[in-house]
Amino acid sequence: MSRNDRPLAHPSVALDIEGMKCGGCVQSVERILLEQPSVARASVNLVARTAWLDLNDPGQSLEPILAALAARGFSAQPRNTGSLEQLTPSTRDSLGAWWSQWRQLMVALVLLLLSVLGHLAAGGHLELVIVGALPFHAGLATVALLGPGRPILVGGARAALALTPTMDTLVGLGVSSAYLASLVALLWPQVGWPCFFNEPVMLLGFVLLGRFLEERARFRTGRALQQLAQLQPDTARLLAGDGTIREVRVGALRPGERVQLLAGDRIPVDGMVLEGHSAVDVSSITGEPLPLEAAPGMELTSGSLNLEATLLLEVRHVGAETALARIISLVEQAQARKAPIQGLADRVAGRFCYGVVSLALLTFLFWWQLGARLWPQVLHASGQGLVHGYGHHVPLGGVAETSLGLALQLAIAVLVVACPCALGLATPTVITVASGQAARRGWLFRGGDVIEMAASLRQVVFDKTGTLTLGRPLVAGIVGTKKPDQLLQLAASLEQNSRHPLAHAVLQEAQRYRLTLLPTLATRTYPGSGLAGELEGVEATVRVGTPEWLQAEGVHWTAELQADVEQSSLQGQSVVAVALGEEPLGLVTIDDRLRPDVSVALDRLREQGMTLAMLSGDRRQAVERLGEQLGFQPHQLGWQLLPDQKLERLQRLRKAGLLAMVGDGINDAPALAAADLGIAVGTGTQIAQDSADLVLLGDRLEGLPEALLLARRTMAKVRQNLTWAFGYNLIALPIAAGLLLPGFGLLLSPPIAALLMALSSITVVVNALALRTT
């Protein structure tokens, strides 16, 4: 689906959902959600166990949706987005789920140990008569099913009754069929069936061990968001009306209040500096390696670190309205938004359980009725392979004595070895890790589909102003004078009364040199020309403006100054002349500077095989000069383009392959929306723009090639995981069904099948976590 075909945004709601175990669960939950008339779209994340809903009516009650999920065995609750700490799943809840799984696992492992002791006793390796008795193993299996296995059985049965089978359904069928067949053999020995009481115990032990390890690995995939949320401190130093400082909870702060920040404090809210100067580390938010110089009037975002001195901050935004909260919310939505490549895996996982149950039934019927007759050697002779004194209890990995026993073993192995978990986790685990890693570096992908698109790009088109350049006028130099400090001081003292962008550039340069501004006694503004006025301690009138205006005001003009003006104009710079009385002091040249890392960023993009272009509405001279400086070819440049002309050029370029448009996210919204991938370069206040798919926070353009490289590595991991997940099931299922039994005598016992199933899920999660080390 192209960007232009994407549906308009609807009000979004996040749900935390429990009970999802595999890709089949994801399909079931999505189907339940989409059946609700109030839900326009739904995207479910298996790793984070969340669902993001686009509602048709923002005032619609969520109770029918929650009730429909609960009826199918998926308990859900809406996430409270009123505070930052509740934007992400609680660490405490995750730890509580861990401890619950840990208790179940310990019980299952104790039962498994006793079962192993029973096998050793049956083989004569231990003198333990009790644990070697068949009733003892029956008791162990009963305890295992009623204890740690009960949630699996209940969840699997509920899913099966709802016609949405899950991983629990397959495991539940496996352990319950083994248990019931063994119970029949124990109570009615005349049927001649073997007992499989060891199978439920070992199956549950391996399944729960695998799930515990998988949960531990999955928890690590979401740590990036937790670490972002932890950037906001719990308390702040509130400056009360009587001048006292009080320690209060951050959640209790309100806009307009003032907080004091000491050196080393994390900034708890979005706010504006009222007093103080300090260096502020914003690398945790925007990825900027260098600290900002905070001064009165500057806005700071929550999560930044105050490094040097005390600051007084006025609260602007708190809680879920801060830039940090918006970043976390966007990343969570991105993790829930699927990549197109995930569609195939989800469709397969949704139908997977039906196919596995059908294969298990066919396996059972085949080996019961035909297999043992075609290859009689697969069965042991009467008593062969069974340990003396062990009755009819088949040992771990042993081959059954009867065709019915063999059919039961292989059918159970098929049910257990199948792993829709690996299919369901293959893509979302990688997308979750990649999105979290990107957010920590100041890159916000808006979804798995955006990451997949970014990995396929062949062309990158740049806007000029605000993208390749900083987008604001700065002093480039001071020429034609031997006293630059005096010139700058007089110009800035007069310009402090103006709001013109060029005046701001002069003032910023004076602040950089820490010059003391002189008080103004009187000023006169000449629109389009400049300023004239008197300063305290300065006898003559000071004039700051265009060279033409100063000459018209009677200022003496030299040929050297005129040559400097013409040279600066050729370079596309704006020129501000300064005069004291009738004597010219010199010129201030002002230009929109290049981003400091733009050359490095473009070189890295070219090394990645990208074709680059620059489209701008600026004049031809400025565009060609910048293009030559940055290594663009003449045919890769466009100048004096109106918005519709820029869109037309983009459409022509798209014929050569997928392209991204990089802009500042404000004036370039139409072009960003028209490109295959819109990339906005801007600060934290611009992250909510709907026109961009990828937002690079801060002023580092060097993050663009790094973000595209991360996208390619992410999709490589996704393909690796999908190859493994499909390949594992294609290989493991035929072996479990007995494909190698006639020719090689290889039998995949149900406990070993359970272990392989667990390892399959763990493998895709661990492979996704490898992204954190690249």
Side-chain angles (χ1 to χ4, degrees), residues 479-734:
V479 296
T481 180
K482 295 182 179 179
K483 298 180 179 180
D485 287 355
Q486 179 194 19
L487 179 151
L488 190 59
Q489 182 187 42
L490 295 177
S493 298
L494 192 62
E495 293 277 27
Q496 64 183 314
N497 300 294
S498 173
R499 295 185 177 181
H500 194 280
L502 298 184
H504 180 75
V506 174
L507 286 168
Q508 190 173 359
E509 188 73 2
Q511 185 180 29
R512 192 166 72 90
Y513 282 96
R514 300 185 183 276
L515 298 177
T516 301
L517 301 186
L518 303 176
T520 56
L521 301 178
T523 60
R524 296 177 299 280
T525 300
Y526 298 84
S529 298
L531 288 174
E534 285 72 39
L535 302 175
E536 186 177 293
V538 180
E539 296 181 359
T541 299
V542 178
R543 292 182 177 86
V544 180
T546 66
E548 296 79 10
W549 176 65
L550 262 65
Q551 294 179 57
E553 290 290 306
V555 175
H556 299 302
W557 208 253
T558 65
E560 291 80 3
L561 279 176
Q562 187 60 35
D564 290 334
V565 171
E566 293 174 357
Q567 180 63 29
S568 298
S569 298
L570 286 174
Q571 296 178 3
Q573 297 174 333
S574 299
V575 179
V576 175
V578 183
L580 182 60
E582 297 179 352
E583 295 297 322
L585 296 180
L587 307 173
V588 179
T589 59
I590 298 176
D591 199 359
D592 184 5
R593 290 184 184 175
L594 285 175
R595 293 182 184 270
D597 59 348
V598 63
S599 297
V600 175
L602 297 182
D603 289 343
R604 290 184 178 176
L605 287 172
R606 291 185 177 108
E607 291 172 0
Q608 294 177 13
M610 296 291 177
T611 301
L612 307 184
M614 178 171 60
L615 304 180
S616 177
D618 207 346
R619 60 192 184 279
R620 176 174 181 173
Q621 187 180 32
V623 173
E624 287 184 331
R625 180 174 60 85
L626 183 61
E628 182 179 358
Q629 183 179 350
L630 296 178
F632 286 93
Q633 299 299 317
H635 68 275
Q636 296 174 332
L637 302 176
W639 53 81
Q640 292 177 315
L641 297 175
L642 298 175
D644 57 336
Q645 294 173 323
K646 189 178 290 187
L647 293 179
E648 183 181 345
R649 287 287 295 272
L650 284 177
Q651 293 298 333
R652 292 206 303 265
L653 289 172
R654 288 181 68 182
K655 297 177 181 178
L658 297 176
L659 66 81
M661 177 68 196
V662 188
D664 61 10
I666 301 175
N667 299 325
D668 303 306
L672 293 176
D676 296 300
L677 187 74
I679 303 175
V681 181
T683 61
T685 58
Q686 298 171 349
I687 63 175
Q689 296 180 64
D690 294 331
S691 55
D693 296 309
L694 168 60
V695 179
L696 305 178
L697 301 180
D699 290 327
R700 289 181 63 245
L701 194 63
E702 193 176 354
L704 176 56
E706 295 173 0
L708 297 183
L709 182 59
L710 175 64
R712 286 193 289 274
R713 288 174 175 168
T714 299
M715 295 314 299
K717 289 290 183 186
V718 168
R719 286 188 285 270
Q720 291 170 12
N721 276 358
L722 288 175
T723 300
W724 165 256
F726 280 109
Y728 162 80
N729 285 291
L730 288 175
I731 294 173
L733 283 171

Side-chain angles (χ1 to χ4, degrees), residues 45 97 111 142 147 184 247 286 313 507 546 628 657 704 741:
N45 187 312
L111 295 176
T142 303
V184 170
E247 199 86 9
T286 68
L313 202 69
L507 286 168
T546 66
E628 182 179 358
L704 176 56
L741 185 57

Side-chain angles (χ1 to χ4, degrees), residues 293-357:
E293 292 296 328
M298 177 176 288
E299 293 191 357
L300 300 177
T301 59
S302 61
S304 304
L305 178 64
N306 181 28
L307 296 176
E308 292 180 338
T310 300
L311 295 174
L312 185 64
L313 202 69
E314 179 183 320
V315 178
R316 291 292 180 88
H317 303 289
V318 296
E321 296 182 355
T322 62
L324 178 60
R326 293 199 303 272
I327 290 172
I328 293 174
S329 179
L330 282 176
V331 174
E332 280 215 297
Q333 292 184 53
Q335 291 175 347
R337 212 165 98 179
K338 298 178 181 179
I341 197 173
Q342 188 178 346
L344 174 62
D346 283 350
R347 287 192 296 271
V348 171
R351 301 176 176 86
F352 189 84
C353 294
Y354 295 105
V356 171
V357 172

Side-chain angles (χ1 to χ4, degrees), residues 69-290:
L69 289 170
R72 303 288 183 90
F74 301 104
S75 60
Q77 59 181 2
R79 180 171 302 168
N80 181 6
T81 56
S83 60
L84 181 62
E85 58 270 17
Q86 292 176 322
L87 284 173
T88 58
S90 169
T91 304
R92 183 181 304 171
D93 293 343
S94 300
L95 292 177
W98 266 26
W99 279 114
S100 177
Q101 289 191 357
W102 178 257
R103 288 192 296 269
Q104 289 183 339
L105 175 62
M106 287 300 99
V107 173
L109 291 182
V110 168
L111 295 176
L112 189 150
L113 177 61
L114 292 174
S115 180
V116 171
L117 290 176
H119 285 295
L120 294 176
H125 302 289
L126 288 177
E127 295 297 331
L128 298 173
V129 178
I130 296 178
V131 298
L134 196 56
F136 176 78
H137 285 276
L140 285 181
T142 303
V143 173
L145 264 65
L146 296 180
R150 184 174 179 275
I152 294 177
L153 293 176
V154 172
R158 186 178 296 167
L161 292 175
L163 300 179
T164 55
T166 64
M167 189 67 218
D168 282 352
T169 305
L170 298 181
V171 175
L173 282 174
V175 296
S176 58
S177 58
Y179 178 80
L180 292 176
S182 303
L183 194 62
V184 170
L186 177 65
L187 298 179
W188 292 282
Q190 59 271 23
V191 299
W193 293 1
C195 289
F196 298 103
F197 284 123
N198 61 302
E199 307 292 12
V201 178
M202 293 199 168
L203 282 176
L204 291 173
F206 286 135
V207 168
L208 292 175
L209 175 61
R211 288 189 178 179
F212 180 79
L213 296 176
E214 177 189 322
E215 186 68 22
R216 183 175 181 273
R218 284 164 61 176
F219 177 75
R220 293 179 61 195
T221 66
R223 286 179 61 184
L225 282 184
Q226 295 290 347
Q227 291 167 355
L228 280 176
Q230 291 168 5
L231 290 177
Q232 185 192 67
D234 296 326
T235 60
R237 296 170 58 85
L238 174 65
L239 181 63
D242 56 3
T244 60
I245 301 293
R246 300 177 182 176
E247 199 86 9
V248 299
R249 290 187 308 103
V250 171
L253 293 174
R254 294 293 179 267
E257 294 179 329
R258 295 181 295 171
V259 295
Q260 184 188 64
L261 299 173
L262 303 179
D265 285 351
R266 286 277 177 192
I267 299 175
V269 294
D270 288 357
M272 185 179 69
V273 179
L274 298 178
E275 298 177 8
H277 292 78
S278 181
V280 176
D281 181 3
V282 295
S283 60
S284 299
I285 307 299
T286 68
E288 295 285 350
L290 298 178

Side-chain angles (χ1 to χ4, degrees), residues 730-754:
L730 288 175
I731 294 173
L733 283 171
I735 295 177
L739 180 66
L740 301 181
L741 185 57
F744 301 92
L746 293 181
L747 174 67
L748 190 62
S749 67
I752 300 301

Side-chain angles (χ1 to χ4, degrees), residues 405-455:
L406 178 64
L408 281 173
Q409 268 194 303
L410 294 178
I412 294 170
V414 168
L415 289 171
V416 177
V417 78
C419 190
C421 295
L423 284 171
L425 292 170
T427 299
T429 48
V430 183
I431 298 298
T432 298
V433 173
S435 300
Q437 288 296 99
R440 293 182 62 186
R441 301 180 192 180
W443 318 325
L444 298 183
F445 289 98
R446 290 189 180 272
D449 53 338
V450 174
I451 294 178
E452 185 170 348
M453 179 66 72

